[in-house]
Amino acid sequence: MNAASGSILATSSLTMRFGGVVAVDNVDFSLAPGELRCLIGPNGAGKSTFFKCLTGQLRPSSGSILFDGEEIGGRHTHEIVARGIGIKTQVPNLFEGLSAYENVSLAASRRNRADRAAEIAGEMLELMQIPEIAGEAVGTLAHGQRQLVELAMVLAGRPRLVLLDEPAAGMAGEERARLAGVVRSLAGDNTLIVVEHDMDFIKDIASTVTVFHRGRIFIEGHVEEIMAHSEVQEIYLGKETNAAA
Amino acid sequence: MAAFGYWRGVALVAAVFLAILLFVPAWFDLFEVLQMTQYVVLAIYALSLAYIWGFGGIISFGQAGFFGLGGYAFAVISINMGETTVPFLLTIALCFAFAAVLGYFMFYGRLSDVYLGVVTLVVALIMWKLISHTAGPEYAIGKARLGGFNGIPSIPIMQVPFTDREMDPGEMFQYFMGLLIFVYLLLHVLIRSKFGRIAISIRENEVRTGLLGYDIRRYKLMVFSIGGALGGASGAMWATYQTFIDPNAFSLEMSAKCLIWVMAGGVGTLVGPIVGVVALQYLSLKLGETAFMNNLVILGIVLVLLVLLMPRGIVPTLHDWLRKALALARQPSRRGAP
């Protein structure tokens, strides 16, 4: 499939090599504005590397990335973020010594004056339903709370495309349900790509799923269809391995 | 309230410095004034590294490159111009520009951490090597002969700005102390500005700062250039204070001392490196007067003890002790409790 016209994000033959290892292999991927897409795949499938290419943390070996019709492949991270892509990384990336509020406020202050940044920080913590931890140093917070603080930071930058790398990792039931609600509420106004392993969480938030396997897109489709797909079960759920054992 | 407390601390330190500026020349003899002038110059040199390391996360193993460049640039320009005010300003601008060019290749070339430190060290050593091989009469810039290992003598004494009157030792101490206060306050203003907070956030988490949309290369370059300008300014002050400069200004020893002063005083503070300079230089001076043992050995032992007992540096450790003592003093007495 080639880059679809009218898509907010379209990669074409995107490839990322590390020496002899091809982590992302000729990926053609497109996303419509307002869409919420989940990426799944076993560890090492290339999902996080794909995200790093989209955000400029890695310079693709070849191929193109069009964001809103503009080529962003190989551009620097700050240029890509300024164009409207925000990412919550797999391991929460926070300023450990600062409070939750200060973290989010710092994120908001790139595009806003100090008073407006403070307002946005308050709004984002409310949106995540964690205003009670605003004053606490993020280094002391539980993993799930740290995930929410980082998501608040990402949203404070007002991105048009939000990349979430395993946002539900380390979250308990109620916290995870709250996050699913937040993610669902973001879709429509924002475009989202969510990398996740938790299939129940995926069913809660998305209808379309893309499966990565060995750096390539293996299949795309409706979540129920994907989950029922025997080959997906083999590569993702390891039935092949289980059968062999 | 936190900001008020921060500025109250800064004002207190500045007031102490101002008192030193006002009273030292009257209360101390000439030798002591000259000695303290040396501490002040080296304190500005230490601040040049303390700022980029403590507030930008950039470790320079070759800060002497800027110190030496500042000394030589000031010597050459002031000998040719026959005055000191414009040469001093030109030296600062030149060192800023040199740091900007060097920093451009390092930061835009995505060098980081220890590699960056090694590059700065190599650059300083190359400069030391180059300047050491300028002994012949052909190595002259205008009226200033570079002099190879012998260095440049007869560098003009600092004049009262925009006049041709040379400062006496007391005036030079006060002028340099005034510059130290200015640099100290300027760095605090920079650190507390939006620019400073972003520089600190780069030190804390470079990846996240980039992902928030800040161009980390630009911020690091600016921090490094400011550090270079300060290092150059201190080199110029050193040259006019001694009326002499030689290749040792670029030496590994000068770079290492700067790292030690900052580390001993406390990385991430501005007062710490100043305390580090005064404490260790005073100790070196006193050890040099004794014949008990090689003073470098004793200094080495002192540094090892400092690292073991005060790993965060003198000032942060004393600050913690003071805070704990105050907290204890504020607690109601429990002596009579059952």
Side-chain angles (χ1 to χ4, degrees), chain A residues 104 108 112 115-125 152 155-158:
Chain A
V104 184
N112 300 281
D115 51 348
R116 180 67 191 125
E119 278 175 25
I120 291 172
E123 287 166 18
M124 291 302 129
L125 292 172
L155 297 177
R158 304 284 192 221

Side-chain angles (χ1 to χ4, degrees), chain B residues 18-304:
Chain B
L18 192 63
I20 293 171
L21 181 155
L22 291 173
F23 298 117
V24 159
W27 290 359
F28 291 87
D29 65 33
L30 178 63
F31 174 76
E32 288 166 330
V33 169
L34 287 172
Q35 199 60 40
M36 281 188 254
T37 308
Q38 194 183 99
Y39 297 160
V40 171
V41 174
L42 295 177
I44 292 178
Y45 176 44
L47 282 181
S48 75
L49 180 66
Y51 174 61
I52 66 169
W53 186 6
F55 301 94
I58 303 166
I59 300 183
S60 165
F61 294 151
Q63 199 65 1
F66 301 110
F67 185 78
L69 181 66
Y72 269 87
F74 178 80
V76 168
I77 302 171
S78 61
I79 286 171
N80 280 290
M81 290 184 72
E83 65 105 16
T84 60
T85 309
V86 173
F88 188 48
L89 297 173
L90 281 177
T91 297
I92 294 170
L94 178 77
C95 291
F96 182 90
F98 179 75
V101 172
L102 177 62
Y104 176 81
F105 288 110
M106 293 194 303
F107 301 122
Y108 283 70
R110 296 196 181 196
L111 271 187
S112 61
D113 301 332
V114 76
Y115 301 104
L116 202 141
V118 170
V119 169
T120 55
L121 176 63
V122 168
V123 168
L125 292 178
I126 288 172
M127 291 164 88
W128 175 78
K129 195 80 179 164
L130 280 177
I131 211 73
S132 299
H133 285 82
T134 55
E138 66 274 25
Y139 295 107
I141 302 173
K143 288 185 271 183
R145 275 184 60 175
L146 298 179
F149 273 116
N150 294 325
I152 305 178
S154 305
I155 297 170
I157 293 169
M158 190 63 90
Q159 296 161 346
V160 175
F162 303 107
T163 72
D164 56 2
R165 188 174 74 76
E166 286 181 357
M167 293 179 186
D168 65 35
E171 286 174 332
M172 192 186 285
F173 170 79
Q174 289 185 317
Y175 182 53
F176 286 179
M177 195 68 207
L179 286 176
L180 176 62
I181 296 171
F182 173 74
V183 168
Y184 175 76
L185 293 176
L186 177 76
L187 290 180
H188 272 296
V189 170
L190 269 176
I191 289 162
R192 296 294 283 190
S193 68
K194 184 179 176 183
F195 168 80
R197 281 187 290 118
I198 294 161
I200 293 170
S201 71
I202 291 170
R203 178 197 70 186
E204 291 295 310
N205 190 336
E206 193 169 320
V207 172
R208 175 42 73 195
T209 310
L211 289 173
L212 292 181
Y214 294 108
D215 184 355
I216 51 178
R217 303 165 306 172
R218 193 159 60 89
Y219 283 91
K220 279 184 158 187
L221 180 61
M222 196 61 192
V223 168
F224 187 69
S225 303
I226 292 169
L230 290 177
S234 62
M237 291 156 77
W238 188 248
T240 187
Y241 161 76
Q242 296 193 117
T243 66
F244 170 74
I245 192 86
D246 70 6
N248 284 328
F250 290 104
S251 65
L252 183 59
E253 187 187 344
M254 275 312 289
S255 290
K257 272 183 173 175
C258 198
L259 283 162
I260 291 167
W261 293 326
V262 175
M263 213 162 58
V267 181
T269 74
L270 292 181
V271 175
I274 300 172
V275 171
V277 166
V278 176
L280 295 179
Q281 283 299 100
Y282 182 76
L283 193 64
S284 292
L285 180 76
K286 289 295 159 193
L287 290 173
E289 291 170 1
T290 65
F292 168 64
M293 195 190 279
N294 184 316
N295 66 343
L296 286 177
V297 173
I298 301 176
L299 198 60
I301 293 169
V302 169
L303 286 173
V304 170

Side-chain angles (χ1 to χ4, degrees), chain A residues 12-35:
Chain A
S12 172
S13 305
L14 186 67
T15 302
M16 183 70 222
R17 287 188 198 90
F18 298 101
V21 178
V22 186
V24 174
D25 190 2
N26 270 302
V27 168
D28 294 331
F29 177 90
S30 72
L31 197 65
E35 190 179 341

Side-chain angles (χ1 to χ4, degrees), chain A residues 223-233:
Chain A
V223 62
E224 300 293 347
E225 176 196 334
I226 293 292
M227 289 179 75
H229 198 285
S230 60
E231 284 181 273
V232 170
Q233 288 182 353

Side-chain angles (χ1 to χ4, degrees), chain A residues 76-127:
Chain A
H76 283 283
T77 300
H78 69 276
E79 295 172 318
I80 292 171
V81 173
R83 277 163 177 75
I85 297 182
I87 181 170
K88 197 212 83 59
T89 52
Q90 193 173 0
V91 178
N93 230 320
L94 302 162
F95 301 107
E96 302 293 334
L98 300 181
S99 69
Y101 169 81
E102 286 168 329
N103 267 274
V104 184
S105 170
L106 187 66
S109 66
R110 184 177 64 82
R111 297 174 64 170
N112 300 281
R113 292 165 57 93
D115 51 348
R116 180 67 191 125
E119 278 175 25
I120 291 172
E123 287 166 18
M124 291 302 129
L125 292 172
E126 285 283 348
L127 181 67

